[in-house]
Amino acid sequence: MTLETVSTNKSFGGVQGVYRHRSAQTGTEMTFSVFVPDHAPGASLPALWYLSGLTCTHANVTEKGEFRAACAKHGVIFIAPDTSPRGDDVSDDEGYDFGKGAGFYVDATQEPWAKNFRMRSYIEQELPALIAANFPVDMGRQGITGHSMGGHGALTIGLRNAGRFRSVSAFSPIVSPLSCPWGDKALTGYIGGDRANWREYDACALIEDGARLPDLLVDQGTADGFLEEQLRTDLLIQACEKTGQPATIRMQEGYDHSYYFISTFMAEHVDWHAERLKA
């Protein structure tokens, strides 16, 4: 797979890069960013994946996430993919919560979305292989986090891939697409009306069905306008308590859904992951 370098900038002693490649899964050009801290020649570093939310690209967290100082401190590579396929030939929807920018980290089975919207396979299979071939990542030491729709992606990918990720966290995640309007629209559109097929894309359902994580960290703002209808943090608390899934779920007083919130707690998440990603 040919990798094109879009840009590189020195930051905190390391390199913040943006890269592009042709994806076999989505059939489109895909862009992502990687921060590689300064490191000894030949060293392999742990990696933290960050999945972004609705309407976002790799650029949102890259420019506003304030993760580089903590990643440089701990020697952790930070990987930020896009949220969906892009391009003039890619199907789209008028709403911000479906189509481009809203891939929901699923493999679509319904037309016209099935042709390009294969973000699950892209994130779980194709991009990791590309990263392993081009960056000094120790693939045995990976963590994953994300925000909102990306928090949903981080939780479900972590739960479905037992043993791949040593650490999983999330900011304001959509915890149950089965139980919110965003999820109802996206999963009906992408994978059809049979709700039994949705369970593998629902963190609460996966936990109820027996999937487990070694530990879990979630931060959720109490002033988040999406909390009660869309995010439903209460359902994740219930699922973890009912099943004994270890979890630290912190309700952060007065914080909203924005990158002001994410950037406030990003360093704590990087610290938390770094502790679990030690050699």
Side-chain angles (χ1 to χ4, degrees), residues 141 166-168 215-216 271-279:
R141 293 190 289 154
R166 292 193 187 183
S167 54
V168 178
D215 201 357
L216 174 62
D271 292 346
W272 185 87
H273 283 275
E275 180 64 28
R276 289 154 179 78
L277 296 175
K278 290 180 178 177

Side-chain angles (χ1 to χ4, degrees), residues 176-192:
S176 181
L178 279 161
S179 307
C180 72
W182 278 342
D184 188 67
K185 179 177 180 178
L187 297 188
T188 299
Y190 289 137
I191 61 177

Side-chain angles (χ1 to χ4, degrees), residues 67-146:
F67 56 85
R68 277 175 288 271
C71 286
K73 172 185 174 183
H74 293 292
V76 173
I77 291 174
F78 193 94
I79 305 163
D82 201 349
T83 54
S84 78
R86 308 277 177 177
D88 293 340
D89 295 332
V90 175
S91 297
D92 201 6
D93 183 81
E94 292 182 356
Y96 75 95
D97 53 357
F98 193 67
K100 294 179 187 177
F104 266 83
Y105 305 100
V106 307
D107 280 353
T109 59
Q110 305 301 299
E111 298 301 335
W113 314 102
K115 176 183 176 182
N116 302 115
F117 282 76
R118 296 186 51 80
M119 291 302 295
R120 173 180 178 174
S121 291
Y122 177 71
I123 297 296
E124 290 186 354
Q125 301 172 27
E126 185 176 19
L127 189 55
L130 186 66
I131 294 292
N134 289 278
F135 299 92
V137 172
D138 179 349
M139 299 301 283
R141 293 190 289 154
Q142 297 183 82
I144 190 166
T145 187

Side-chain angles (χ1 to χ4, degrees), residues 3-73:
L3 186 64
E4 175 190 352
T5 299
V6 177
S7 65
T8 57
N9 297 92
K10 186 170 183 177
S11 183
F12 291 95
V15 176
Q16 176 64 66
V18 177
Y19 306 92
R20 181 185 299 121
H21 73 110
R22 182 76 183 179
S23 168
Q25 289 292 343
T26 69
T28 65
E29 297 287 326
M30 295 295 289
T31 303
F32 62 94
S33 73
V34 180
F35 174 69
V36 180
D38 187 31
H39 59 283
S44 294
L45 306 179
L48 177 58
W49 294 76
Y50 178 93
L51 305 184
S52 294
L54 288 167
T55 76
C56 292
T57 70
H58 70 282
N60 297 75
V61 71
T62 304
E63 297 170 3
K64 298 186 289 188
E66 300 185 24
F67 56 85
R68 277 175 288 271
C71 286
K73 172 185 174 183

